[in-house]
Amino acid sequence: METIEKGFKYRIYPKNNQIEQIEVMFNAKRYVWNYFLNINKHRLNHHKSVLNYNKMSKLLTLLKKKQTWLNQCEKSVLQNTIKYQYQTFLKFFKKECGFPKFKSYKNNYQSIKMNYTNGNISVLEKYIEYTSTGKFKKQNCKIKLPKVKQVKIAYSRQYEGRIVSCTLSRDTDNKYYISLCCVDIEINPLEQTGAVVGIDLGIKEFATTSDNEIINNPKFYRKYEEKLIKTQRKLSKRKKGSNNRNKQRLKVNKWHKKIANCRIDFLQKLSTKLIRDYDIICMEDLNSSGMIKNHKLAKSISDASFFELNRELEYKARWNYKLISRINRFYPSSQLCSKCGTQSSQTKDLAVRTYICEECGLEIDRDYNASINILNEGLR
């Protein structure tokens, strides 16, 4: 049976003294990152190579002797920081990302990564309650973390496998989360159904399948747009640096989080349903970043989040031995007749919602017609 690597994210509720310790580690990570980025930037300006991980590690030891407050931070946090910076420079030289930037304390989102060693990260079993039937009950749970000690955790589901590291983060709404990275997780693939499907993604309807099933577009951003605009308008009138501005910023963030959470929930449920029902899923290889450049449709395309759906389908298909067949993005799926194969340019206009074949007289919904063509091309 195949094993995979998986993350389990939970919300935690640290006390005031624990929040102080977490903030110290956030500050230490930011200080070390900016310290070494300044050195590497200076070296590059003088036509030298950046420091490799081993050299940065030696300098970090000297820096901790000079700046003793850095010893309050878990050592693996600082080691991971310089390691990530070196990897970022390697990606930059390969032109896979931009030049590393200095980290600001004004950024509301902060995170640190801690490695698992000798049981320093563990969910405490003595705080986990079970029902009379022996089933898992998610109350009064705590997790042990380095330097922070025991923290209350919303232990909504049991993690699987073996913990190798954890990421402790403070979100933009000042809530704290922990993500456990686990390996050696056994997966039980879903049963094979033998069914195949073609999916045409769209804006009016989120998706139309070759089984003539229409999945409505929830349009979460449009749903909460008025409330978001109202709170943003109030934020623009608040004085910068004031407490009232920060309070209003949290209200704006609440609606952004609401939209994001609704969208993630919808996409996760949809992708799981598709993987459960079909063995082969045929889809277009959409260029989402290019489609967003159309300013008339950019908001609707971003709201639909086609890229995220494709990403979720990819890893879920890999876990369950299903196949995602991609067809060329330039394939004229909406212009071909699904019955006789005649090509017509009538559906280039998005306002035309019905495809009428000039040869065989087939009259069919344009999205349903496109999904059948996508299925045939994907299987071919």
Side-chain angles (χ1 to χ4, degrees):
M1 189 175 290
E2 186 183 356
T3 58
I4 59 170
E5 181 178 318
K6 195 173 181 180
F8 297 85
K9 189 173 182 178
Y10 310 95
R11 185 178 172 187
I12 57 173
Y13 301 88
K15 298 177 181 177
N16 290 336
N17 61 328
Q18 292 173 330
I19 289 176
E20 290 177 5
Q21 177 59 43
I22 293 171
E23 293 297 328
V24 167
M25 293 196 283
F26 287 156
N27 294 335
K29 175 198 171 180
R30 186 171 57 250
Y31 180 85
V32 169
W33 173 277
N34 292 341
Y35 178 83
F36 283 101
L37 181 56
N38 187 46
I39 293 175
N40 286 323
K41 196 173 181 180
H42 182 76
R43 287 175 63 88
L44 289 174
N45 289 336
H46 291 78
H47 307 287
K48 296 180 181 179
S49 61
V50 297
L51 296 170
N52 60 30
Y53 174 72
N54 292 330
K55 290 182 179 179
M56 282 196 285
S57 184
K58 291 178 181 178
L59 284 177
L60 177 62
T61 304
L62 298 175
L63 180 64
K64 289 170 75 174
K65 291 180 180 179
K66 187 177 179 181
Q67 301 287 345
T68 53
W69 68 276
L70 292 176
N71 292 309
Q72 298 177 43
C73 180
E74 163 67 16
K75 62 179 181 180
S76 62
V77 170
L78 304 182
Q79 292 291 338
N80 286 325
T81 300
I82 59 176
K83 183 178 181 180
Y84 179 66
Q85 184 171 134
Y86 180 62
Q87 291 173 347
T88 306
F89 271 111
L90 293 180
K91 289 181 180 180
F92 168 71
F93 294 137
K94 294 178 182 178
K95 298 182 179 180
E96 295 177 0
C97 69
F99 192 84
K101 297 179 180 179
F102 289 100
K103 296 188 181 295
S104 171
Y105 72 92
K106 294 181 180 180
N107 189 351
N108 294 303
Y109 178 83
Q110 299 287 337
S111 67
I112 51 175
K113 181 180 178 181
M114 296 183 281
N115 296 337
Y116 175 90
T117 50
N118 299 325
N120 61 343
I121 303 169
S122 62
V123 178
L124 302 177
E125 294 290 338
K126 63 180 179 180
Y127 289 103
I128 299 175
E129 291 186 0
Y130 294 88
T131 61
S132 56
T133 56
K135 292 185 178 180
F136 175 68
K137 187 179 180 181
K138 49 184 182 183
Q139 287 184 357
N140 301 324
C141 302
K142 291 190 177 183
I143 184 170
K144 185 179 76 172
L145 298 173
K147 299 289 185 179
V148 187
K149 299 182 181 178
Q150 297 179 12
V151 187
K152 185 179 177 182
I153 180 175
Y155 199 48
S156 54
R157 57 173 175 163
Q158 288 180 298
Y159 74 86
E160 302 171 23
R162 176 173 56 88
I163 300 174
V164 291
S165 65
C166 77
T167 300
L168 182 61
S169 61
R170 184 190 71 204
D171 212 336
T172 51
D173 54 1
N174 289 337
K175 294 177 181 177
Y176 293 86
Y177 297 88
I178 188 165
S179 179
L180 303 178
C181 179
C182 303
V183 296
D184 300 337
I185 301 173
E186 294 185 355
I187 56 172
N188 298 309
L190 296 171
E191 294 182 2
Q192 301 292 310
T193 61
V196 296
V197 70
I199 300 176
D200 178 60
L201 299 176
I203 297 173
K204 186 174 183 295
E205 305 295 346
F206 184 81
T208 305
T209 71
S210 55
D211 295 337
N212 202 12
E213 179 185 355
I214 296 174
I215 300 166
N216 295 323
N217 191 348
K219 298 180 181 178
F220 292 114
Y221 185 84
R222 303 280 185 183
K223 182 179 179 180
Y224 298 107
E225 187 174 17
E226 288 186 11
K227 294 178 180 178
L228 182 61
I229 290 172
K230 188 175 179 180
T231 54
Q232 285 176 328
R233 189 179 292 121
K234 288 183 179 179
L235 177 65
S236 66
K237 297 176 182 178
R238 298 288 187 264
K239 184 179 178 180
K240 289 188 177 179
S242 66
N243 288 333
N244 284 335
R245 182 182 176 85
N246 188 53
K247 290 177 184 177
Q248 190 63 30
R249 179 192 63 79
L250 294 175
K251 291 179 182 179
V252 173
N253 180 264
K254 183 188 79 169
W255 290 112
H256 279 297
K257 293 289 290 183
K258 175 79 172 178
I259 294 166
N261 290 338
C262 289
R263 188 182 294 131
I264 290 171
D265 180 68
F266 168 73
L267 294 175
Q268 287 284 359
K269 289 177 179 177
L270 176 60
S271 57
T272 300
K273 179 180 180 299
L274 292 173
I275 293 296
R276 184 185 293 114
D277 294 344
Y278 303 102
D279 287 351
I280 301 176
I281 300 173
C282 305
M283 301 178 69
E284 289 179 297
D285 183 21
L286 295 176
N287 179 18
S288 299
S289 58
M291 294 166 66
I292 291 174
K293 293 178 181 178
N294 182 344
H295 297 296
K296 293 181 180 179
L297 301 175
K299 186 185 289 186
S300 297
I301 293 169
S302 298
D303 192 16
S305 193
F306 296 138
F307 179 84
E308 178 63 16
L309 175 66
N310 282 284
R311 187 190 71 84
E312 291 174 9
L313 285 173
E314 285 286 350
Y315 74 78
K316 290 180 182 179
R318 189 168 63 251
W319 288 354
N320 296 283
Y321 305 109
K322 304 294 180 79
L323 177 65
I324 306 294
S325 178
R326 304 282 182 194
I327 70 167
N328 194 300
R329 64 184 60 161
F330 299 110
Y331 178 73
S333 58
S334 61
Q335 300 175 36
L336 295 174
C337 175
S338 58
K339 186 176 180 181
C340 64
T342 304
Q343 185 169 352
S344 173
S345 60
Q346 59 181 289
T347 50
K348 283 187 176 181
D349 183 5
L350 294 176
V352 178
R353 305 310 304 172
T354 303
Y355 182 91
I356 303 173
C357 182
E358 299 167 354
E359 290 291 326
C360 64
L362 176 67
E363 187 173 341
I364 188 174
D365 179 77
R366 63 171 289 156
D367 294 335
Y368 179 39
N369 178 66
S371 65
I372 296 173
N373 289 327
I374 289 171
L375 174 61
N376 295 333
E377 177 68 11
L379 293 177
R380 186 184 68 80

